[in-house]
Amino acid sequence: CDEVEWNSQQIREFANAIDAETDRLTHVVSSLLELTRIHAGGVKPVLEVVSLDELAHRAVIALGSNGTGVAMDIPEDLPPLSADPGLLERAMSNVIGNAVTWSPSGSSVAVKALQVASRVEVQVIDHGPGIPKNQWDLVFLPFQRLACLEGGCPKGLGLGLAIALAFTRAIGGDLSIEHTPGGGATFV
């Protein structure tokens, strides 16, 4: 067997590819473990008073460069929330990340918060392809990648929204979908 010699640029490219794939696999394993913990009842929220503005910004920062097109509209006069900060941040990051993934290039995703009666409502608004109403419940099931059925399949396992729903419910909230006026999906 002849040995192959690689130049330094090729070695760097291989190392970068290995690093990226390791990060992706780590995320996949982490998501699968979280889903297992949720279904086994191992998610125990620790509620405390949190700042929605701070958590929303941290959720966007967690998206890295994917979060650069996210516009925030969170009023300063919202009442304080009682939530588990880690669970709420992760749920928001998953929903915002999903909206960014499905948004057309050059469009922004909006995160808005408002007080509705005695509760705070957070809306994550995108202008992507939208989701047919008869599939709204399906997007929250693990491993669902509905657009794959129609040929437009971004990367991912279809776990993000299932985890977001479970974490949101664990802290006493809920997660639903509405149509975005003009096209797209709004997660509430």
Side-chain angles (χ1 to χ4, degrees):
C1 180
D2 294 327
E3 284 196 33
V4 177
E5 291 190 30
W6 307 103
N7 66 40
S8 61
Q9 181 180 347
Q10 290 171 316
I11 292 170
R12 234 182 340 272
E13 288 173 1
F14 290 142
N16 288 338
I18 291 168
D19 186 50
E21 285 302 305
T22 300
D23 289 346
R24 187 184 70 76
L25 287 173
T26 299
H27 179 72
V28 167
V29 170
S30 174
S31 294
L32 289 170
L33 289 173
E34 285 177 345
L35 196 58
T36 301
R37 273 189 22 217
I38 291 165
H39 288 299
V43 175
K44 304 290 184 214
V46 177
L47 302 180
E48 57 186 71
V49 176
V50 298
S51 162
L52 180 60
D53 186 44
E54 181 182 326
L55 285 179
H57 280 89
R58 286 195 336 227
V60 170
I61 289 169
L63 296 173
S65 62
N66 290 333
T68 56
V70 177
M72 303 284 244
D73 181 9
I74 301 176
E76 293 179 16
D77 62 346
L78 286 177
L81 300 178
S82 176
D84 181 302
L87 297 180
L88 181 56
E89 179 184 332
R90 181 63 191 271
M92 290 179 67
S93 186
N94 284 0
V95 173
I96 296 167
N98 184 74
V100 168
T101 297
W102 288 101
S103 292
S105 179
S107 73
S108 67
V109 169
V111 177
K112 294 183 178 184
L114 56 139
Q115 186 169 357
V116 179
S118 63
R119 64 187 175 91
V120 172
E121 184 175 282
V122 178
Q123 300 173 346
V124 177
I125 305 162
D126 72 53
H127 297 284
I131 302 165
K133 191 170 185 169
N134 66 344
Q135 295 181 345
W136 284 0
D137 289 338
L138 297 177
V139 299
F140 296 112
L141 296 175
F143 305 107
Q144 292 302 309
R145 308 206 43 228
L146 301 178
C148 293
L149 301 175
E150 298 165 12
C153 207
K155 291 182 180 180
L157 289 177
L159 293 174
L161 293 176
I163 291 169
L165 176 64
F167 282 3
T168 302
R169 286 185 174 163
I171 59 174
D174 203 6
L175 185 57
S176 61
I177 307 171
E178 298 174 356
H179 289 294
T180 300
T186 297
F187 285 80
V188 182

